Structure formats: C-alpha cells, structure tokens
Amino acid sequence: MLLIRGAHVVDPQVGLDAVRDVVVEGERIAEVAESVQVPVGAEVIDGTGKYLVPGLVDIHVHFRDPGYEYKETIETGSAAAAVGGFTDVATMPNTDPVVDTGEGIHYQIAKGDACGLVHVRPIGACTKGEKGEQLAEIGDMAHEGACMFSDDGHGVQSAGMLRTVMDYVRQFDRVVACHCEVDSLSNHGQVNEGRASTRLGLAGWPAAGEEVEIGRDIDLCRLTGCALHICHISTARGAELVRAAKAEGLPVTAEVCPHHLFLDETALDETYDTNLKMNPPLRTPEDAAALREALVDGTIDCVVTDHAPHAPFEKEREFEAAPFGVVGLETSLPLVLTNLVATSKMSWSRLVEAMCVAPRRIARLEPVRVEEGSVADLTLVDPAYAFDVTPELFAGKESNSAFLGAHLTGRATDTLVAGRHVLRDTKLA
Ligand SMILES: [Zn+2]
C-alpha cells in the first residue's frame, strides 16, 4: 500500500484542483481525501509542493522494435517514457516488418508487458507495408488490441485508398491518425521552404505540402464519418483548418510536438545541426506562436513527442544524409511546464487535458481518474525541479534531442503504472 501525501491533485475529469492525500492499494486508487490516516504498513511519499495527475500519455512514439533495435527497443523506449512521466505510449507501426497484422500488434503488447514498465499500445498500419496500396488487416489488428491506425512516416498518397481505410476503420470505432504530407510537394525537402531553405541552401519542404493533405483528409472525414486525427501539426494554416473542421462538428482531433511549439526555423544555422532535422520541419516563428495558441485554446487536442531515436552514426552525417526525427519523451513535460505553465499561458487543468485526458480519449483507452476505484496510473510532478538537458538525462538508447543544452524547470519525479512504481524520485525503479 502507498500513501501519496499532500500533493496538489489536478484532474478536470472529477473537478479536482486541490491538495489531497491519495492511497493506492494494489493496482487501484483506494482513497482520495483531504487527509487520511497512514494505513498500517503503507509506504508514504511526501507530495508537498508537487502535483499529482493522471498518468501522462504519448500517442505518437517510434520504438523501432522489431527491425531497428539498434536505435531503440520496446524496453529502452519504455524506460524513456517512465522517466518522462508517461504511463502509456502508442507506438507507430513503421518498424521492419511494418506492424500491419494482428500478430505484429500481439508482439508489441507482449513485449511491453514483459518489460513491466509502461503500457505499450501499438498502432496498426492503415495499408500493407505502409505502401498505400492495399488495406492492412485492420479487423485482425483491432481484435488484437490496436489502439489506432496510421501510416505515419508518410501520407497515404491516394485519396481513394485513404477513403477505403476510413470506411473500414470507422466500423471498429477507432481513429485514423494521418501524417499529412503530399510527397510531390515535400519532394526531398530538408527544411521549411522559405527563409531556412534559402539561407542554408537546402531543399525546401513547403507548408502547403502538409496543409493540402490536412484539407483533403478533413474532406474524407466529412465523406466517411470516420474519426480523423492529424499528426504533428506544424503550421498556423493547419491549425486553422482543424479549427474550422471542429466548428463544423466533424470528428477531427490534432496533436503537436514540443519542437514545433518551442523551436522554429530560425534555430537552424551554419552548424547544420541534424538534431533540428525532423518531419515535418521546424516552421516559422509565426507558425510556432499559432500552434501554442491553438494548444492552449483546445483547437489542438494533445501534445505528443514523435519520439524518433536515431543512432549517432546516422545523425552525425551531413544534414541532407541524416534521417529525420528527434527523441522527446524525457523532455516533453518539462518543456510544456517551463514554457507554458510556469509562464501562466496554460493552466494545470489544460495541461492535464492535453497530456493525460485527450490522448486516452483519442486512442480509445480507458479513462484514468484520480478517484477511488480508478487504475493507479499516476504521475507525480515537481514543478520546481531545475535541470539542464544533457545526454545523461536520456534513459532511452539515444539522445538525439533538439533541446540539448536547454535549462528546464519541472519534471516527473514518480511514475506509477497500475500501482507499481516504475520511476521513483527521478530514478528508474
Ligand atoms: Zn509522422
């Protein structure tokens, strides 16, 4: 038994934003009260000055397993998640082989369970091999526990193919998560088309290469009635399209990554830092400001990392040869706390919506609430914990972070998964 004493509990689902004592017994929350007697034999954790929230969820990570285990495995990725305060992660299917069958889903769930760290929730591919040509085994994958469907890594280029996917996925009450990219427009682009591409002499990836497909996919959502989730939105116009779709009442949701919120193309300079190379690319300062606003006002539903580990030998190449992607699990919460919550731009309640409540809803996971009887997937956060982002912070295999060197304030100190301590006082248990 565990007593978390005197933490400030924030859970908008139960209208809680106050100091409480929380007792965990076995896998579940046994009691939430203003003050409880220490149960006999209970371990007591002092929550004074800390915040207790439902476990964080990241519905967009790449754990590289199977096929690219040299970059990350389900075990090392899960460790990175626990350190970041996450109790649940949804893994993208662009592994080798691509997760496009029930067997692939089963493999990741079993491996996640065997690690005994966080809940691993696999996402199934929309099309076989993510090639965009034939429907993947969607029914089989839904049956095995796929939480969403996505061909992340690229857009489904054929509108007709995506329509078929959406018609099919709709029957299983799942969401299709779209990486929106028109290949013929992004066309080997390295950085945002405009200032960055001109200044650095690199091929440009225009905002329209993303926005055209966001618009198309919203049209297909309207046509099919299938829930649509827009992945890693990076432009102001993209957020505007989502805002209009929501106003129309369409089942559209969207996510944004910390690097698109807190960095922009002006960070790219003559050093050609490949840790600033991601897909979609860093956009303009105006785009980043619009994304922050859209996250705070709820147009963008949730924060995800697009955690994409790459080995040093891959990132330590010239910019054009390096792969896209950065890690993010260990720094996501600290970045949001430092840049939005500590500056009073975002409330704790909105943070919990965006990092705990909405992602569970989108991925069709059972809600977790800070109330008696709920599964004890919980994150304890120290908002005053100040630290520098150094390679030692990273518990995953790689440290290809866009935020190396940043000074951040606030992080998860404890992560509880089904009542088990997987992170204890900032150390993996
Ligand atoms: Zn993507």
Side-chain angles (χ1 to χ4, degrees), residues 1-57:
M1 210 182 293
L2 186 71
L3 167 61
I4 303 165
R5 189 179 242 175
H8 187 128
V9 179
V10 181
D11 184 357
Q13 301 167 104
V14 294
L16 203 50
D17 191 344
V19 172
R20 287 287 183 274
D21 285 354
V22 175
V23 179
V24 174
E25 194 173 357
E27 294 188 357
R28 297 191 177 267
I29 295 171
E31 192 180 355
V32 180
E34 282 186 31
S35 175
V36 302
Q37 297 258 316
V38 180
V40 177
E43 177 192 351
V44 180
I45 293 177
D46 184 11
T48 311
K50 297 187 180 179
Y51 282 77
L52 184 69
V53 299
L56 309 185
V57 183

Side-chain angles (χ1 to χ4, degrees), residues 60 62 92 94 150-154 178-181 231-232 255 279-280 306:
H60 191 142
H62 298 274
M92 281 296 176
N94 59 339
S150 181
D151 270 6
D152 184 58
H154 26 252
C178 287
H179 167 126
C180 294
E181 177 176 357
C231 290
H232 43 49
E255 63 184 35
N279 178 347
D306 194 3

